[in-house]
Amino acid sequence: MTDVVDSDELLRRLQRARSWAGREEQTWKARSEELRAGDPDSARDAELRGHTYEAVRRALDEIVTPGVHEGVHDGAG
């Protein structure tokens, strides 16, 4: 990253990345459900990818809104 950006632009970029990670998380978790009966190996791979994007989204959540997520566990993982 060679561009100098102000804090507002950085926040916008983080929020876009968080939204993207959330969409990818939902896409892969849904794909896992679709594959579960017919292709268990691919379903596990898709589920793992979903959890990976969930971890990225949660990390970005904490950067964008620090401390809000402490002790909060939605039961998803």
Side-chain angles (χ1 to χ4, degrees):
M1 184 155 97
T2 59
D3 296 339
V4 176
V5 296
D6 63 14
S7 60
D8 290 336
E9 177 61 19
L10 182 58
L11 180 60
R12 282 189 293 274
R13 291 178 185 192
L14 288 166
Q15 289 170 330
R16 280 194 309 266
R18 180 179 60 176
S19 293
W20 172 78
R23 288 189 306 272
E24 289 295 312
E25 173 189 353
Q26 293 305 312
T27 296
W28 284 106
K29 287 182 177 183
R31 182 79 175 131
S32 173
E33 288 298 318
E34 292 169 6
L35 293 169
R36 193 167 312 278
D39 190 351
D41 290 336
S42 292
R44 280 191 294 279
D45 179 59
E47 183 176 11
L48 178 60
R49 288 173 188 250
H51 288 299
T52 301
Y53 283 108
E54 177 183 12
V56 170
R57 179 192 49 80
R58 286 178 179 235
L60 290 169
D61 280 347
E62 185 60 28
I63 291 168
V64 172
T65 53
V68 172
H69 312 289
E70 289 181 79
V72 175
H73 187 23
D74 62 11

